[in-house]
Amino acid sequence: MLSLNFIRENVQEVIDRLAIKNFNGGEIIGRIVDLDNQRRETQKKLDDMQSQSNILAREIGVLFQSGKASEANTLKQKTAELKDSAKTLDLQFEEIKKELDDILVRVPNLPHHTVPPGKTPEDNLVVMQEGEALPAAATAVPHWDLTTQYDIIDFITGNKITGAGFPVYKGKGARLQRALINFFLEEALKAGYTEVQPPYMVNAASAYATGQLPDKDAQMYHVGLDDLYLIPTAEVPVTNIYRDTILKSQDLPVKNVAYSACFRREAGSYGKDVRGLNRLHQFDKVEIVQISHPDTSYEILEEMRNYVTGLLRKLELPFRVLKLCGGDMSFTSALTYDMEVWSSAQARWLEVSSVSNFETFQSNRLKLRFKDETGKMQTAHTLNGSALALPRIVAALLENNQTPEGIIIPKVLVPYTGFEVIN
RNA sequence: GGAGAGAUGGCAGAGCGGUCGAUUGCGGCGGUCUUGAAAACCGUUGACCUGCAAGGGUCCGGGGGUUCGAAUCCCUCUCUCUCCGCCA
């Protein structure tokens, strides 16, 4: 969430920048400032009352100890009155605070000043492209047919066991998954990331801290009996490692990498976008997370972007990088790059990674801070990105590398798969 | 799942109704000494809200209650530990 102080001091700027995300903030920001003023006023009064009753309580204590009971009892009467009015005021205070908190968490992050305006994915900016988006050969087969042909991913059986969007990977399909996960983890280690294995379920406080709640409630699987959420991405548990934490400046940047399964309800998705591996309810992903000094977070964002494109290059996949427009960005992000690979048989780009800088938006909720060089407390910046999500990488590999002899595995993966071709 | 014990500052650990945001030790920071370091000694050392400041307020796992006054008493939730049961 945005910090109250920042909103108070930059009302017009906040409204203007929210407009780039197509968020009409005029009314809501006004309400926030108004509520915050009420909050301060009420707290001041409350503090004064509290101060008075603290003084009285101390006096009463002294009187009792020196045996002046009757004088003490007179003072007691006074505190009773104070207590009554404090109680009323306290209720008001709680109400104000609750409304303020509720509104505040529904305001999205401000976009970085370089974010292009726009409403739909068509307005995203293509910042680079490598490799050619070749049209499909007449004989090209989409991956959902290849997976059946080579018997490596079984959607039908997954359907029986669980439901749509929960495929079963078999034989070389399963081994390819494992190879990709290991390849991505090993590459991240080489780049200086520390590997972590997080829980796959999180409590509401964690989901709230990274911004999945209350905004994306319906996208997560919820285990009602224990009130836990299945993680939609390792970002949630990994970032929450640092909830309620004060780091030292020499700890920064924190670089973590985690493999996890990811679970998404994908409510509202339909059509050919969800065919085959394009959109699953359970999928595998290796996620990189960094916590940085505010001064360097945008350099780090570029570093992460270059890291991810490096992976795609090694996998020999044609890809492009998009800078997302205001309308296509997530609630929590200040700047996001999407990486897309070309899927030849579907003749479309598939998003395989999203790298974002959240600035202090998550940190404010996480209460993630660090002591800077001078010993002053500062709010850290958080960043994360997929490196990479598996299903669409697999889809692209299958479609782009299909030959009459089978699917050719990229050279860099062979040490991990133990085979060179799926046939 | 059953029985018991506990949750206090970065860590360890006192306090069990009044002057306690909290004794003490360790750790951290600053200093003296030293060529430097160690040791020793001295000093210092939490977060948050509010205020220009002085100051005021809140926080002893979370929430509620009793009381003029609660870290201390009561209720409740969560978590941790020990024992038993079950189990990868």
Side-chain angles (χ1 to χ4, degrees):
Chain A
M1 60 187 175
L2 301 176
S3 87
L4 269 173
N5 280 335
F6 186 84
I7 294 177
R8 289 178 67 89
E9 286 160 23
N10 306 278
V11 171
Q12 196 51 49
E13 187 194 336
V14 168
I15 292 171
D16 292 346
R17 286 172 69 186
L18 285 174
I20 293 175
K21 276 199 170 179
N22 302 314
F23 184 91
N24 185 355
E27 203 172 304
I28 198 170
I29 297 300
R31 182 72 185 144
I32 286 172
V33 172
D34 189 42
L35 280 168
D36 190 44
N37 285 334
Q38 288 181 43
R39 191 198 105 232
R40 281 166 202 243
E41 221 172 280
T42 313
Q43 195 188 350
K44 183 97 185 69
K45 283 188 206 156
L46 212 51
D47 282 357
D48 288 345
M49 281 185 195
Q50 194 59 251
S51 173
Q52 280 182 52
S53 50
N54 283 347
I55 292 167
L56 284 175
R58 242 169 280 162
E59 282 176 24
I60 291 169
V62 173
L63 288 174
F64 269 126
Q65 276 172 353
S66 51
K68 297 175 184 162
S70 66
E71 285 175 51
N73 283 320
T74 318
L75 278 184
K76 268 187 173 182
Q77 304 248 314
K78 268 176 88 177
T79 52
E81 288 164 34
L82 256 176
K83 245 177 101 171
D84 268 0
S85 37
K87 200 153 201 170
T88 326
L89 206 59
D90 191 49
L91 286 174
Q92 278 178 38
F93 183 71
E94 290 304 324
E95 242 169 73
I96 292 166
K97 241 179 72 183
K98 188 174 181 314
E99 190 186 342
L100 187 57
D101 287 346
D102 284 352
I103 295 182
L104 204 55
V105 296
R106 284 168 207 284
V107 179
N109 198 3
L110 300 181
H112 189 253
H113 67 267
T114 63
V115 166
K119 295 202 164 145
T120 65
E122 282 70 50
D123 298 319
N124 293 334
L125 214 65
V126 179
V127 294
M128 75 173 289
Q129 179 173 332
E130 234 177 84
E132 286 185 78
L134 295 169
T139 53
V141 180
H143 71 266
W144 49 83
D145 289 333
L146 292 167
T147 53
T148 309
Q149 182 182 330
Y150 294 109
D151 194 24
I152 50 174
I153 302 179
D154 186 341
F155 293 97
I156 308 294
T157 303
N159 227 325
K160 175 181 75 177
I161 301 170
T162 308
F166 293 91
V168 176
Y169 300 86
K170 295 154 75 174
K172 285 185 174 173
R175 291 167 68 189
L176 176 60
Q177 292 283 113
R178 183 156 52 87
L180 282 166
I181 293 164
N182 279 329
F183 169 64
F184 293 145
L185 284 173
E186 290 297 329
E187 289 293 312
L189 294 189
K190 282 185 218 160
Y193 289 88
T194 302
E195 186 175 347
V196 294
Q197 277 195 19
Y200 285 8
M201 291 196 208
V202 294
N203 54 32
S206 292
Y208 174 88
T210 35
Q212 277 69 30
L213 290 179
D215 184 51
K216 286 186 277 192
D217 199 1
Q219 293 300 338
M220 285 188 293
Y221 288 98
H222 181 232
V223 182
L225 199 57
D226 295 296
D227 194 20
L228 296 172
Y229 295 86
L230 264 70
I231 56 172
T233 158
E235 163 198 344
V236 180
V238 174
T239 310
N240 269 282
I241 292 173
Y242 304 96
R243 174 149 54 92
D244 292 319
T245 297
I246 299 172
L247 296 168
K248 297 181 187 124
S249 64
Q250 63 264 32
D251 296 335
L252 302 177
V254 170
K255 297 174 78 173
N256 283 162
V257 61
Y259 155 74
S260 87
C262 302
F263 305 89
R264 297 185 183 180
R265 294 188 63 234
E266 300 294 1
S269 302
Y270 60 92
K272 71 173 182 181
D273 284 5
V274 307
R275 191 104 191 252
L277 293 168
N278 289 351
R279 196 174 290 274
L280 299 173
H281 289 307
Q282 177 185 322
F283 64 95
D284 297 282
K285 180 160 62 65
V286 172
E287 181 80 3
I288 49 178
V289 172
Q290 291 210 39
I291 296 165
S292 92
H293 193 289
D295 293 349
T296 57
S297 67
Y298 280 94
E299 286 164 41
I300 285 175
L301 182 67
E302 294 304 315
E303 171 204 311
M304 289 169 74
R305 169 189 148 186
N306 289 333
Y307 172 73
V308 173
T309 53
L311 292 177
L312 296 171
R313 199 170 293 130
K314 286 180 186 175
L315 290 171
E316 302 169 62
L317 291 168
F319 67 87
R320 63 177 190 177
V321 178
L322 306 176
K323 183 185 256 189
L324 294 194
C325 72
D328 202 26
M329 284 171 71
S330 76
F331 183 81
T332 47
S333 172
L335 182 61
T336 298
Y337 291 112
D338 270 10
M339 286 52 161
E340 298 183 332
V341 296
W342 178 250
S343 177
S344 65
Q346 297 182 70
R348 54 187 287 231
W349 294 98
L350 297 178
E351 182 194 332
V352 291
S353 176
S354 190
V355 181
S356 304
N357 187 353
F358 304 94
E359 297 190 7
T360 58
F361 193 82
Q362 291 183 325
S363 300
N364 281 332
R365 291 200 198 181
L366 286 159
K367 295 202 188 73
L368 164 54
R369 292 162 295 168
F370 70 99
K371 275 202 169 127
D372 67 16
E373 306 72 26
T374 64
K376 230 186 84 192
M377 207 69 89
Q378 286 199 53
T379 309
H381 282 194
T382 62
L383 305 96
N384 66 52
S386 350
L388 288 159
L390 268 69
R392 295 177 192 159
I393 291 285
V394 171
L397 285 176
L398 296 179
E399 293 182 5
N400 297 2
N401 297 5
Q402 57 184 304
T403 70
E405 289 74 41
I407 314 281
I408 308 300
I409 300 296
K411 280 193 273 322
V412 73
L413 276 183
V414 172
Y416 295 93
T417 54
F419 54 85
E420 292 174 11
V421 62
I422 297 172
N423 50 18

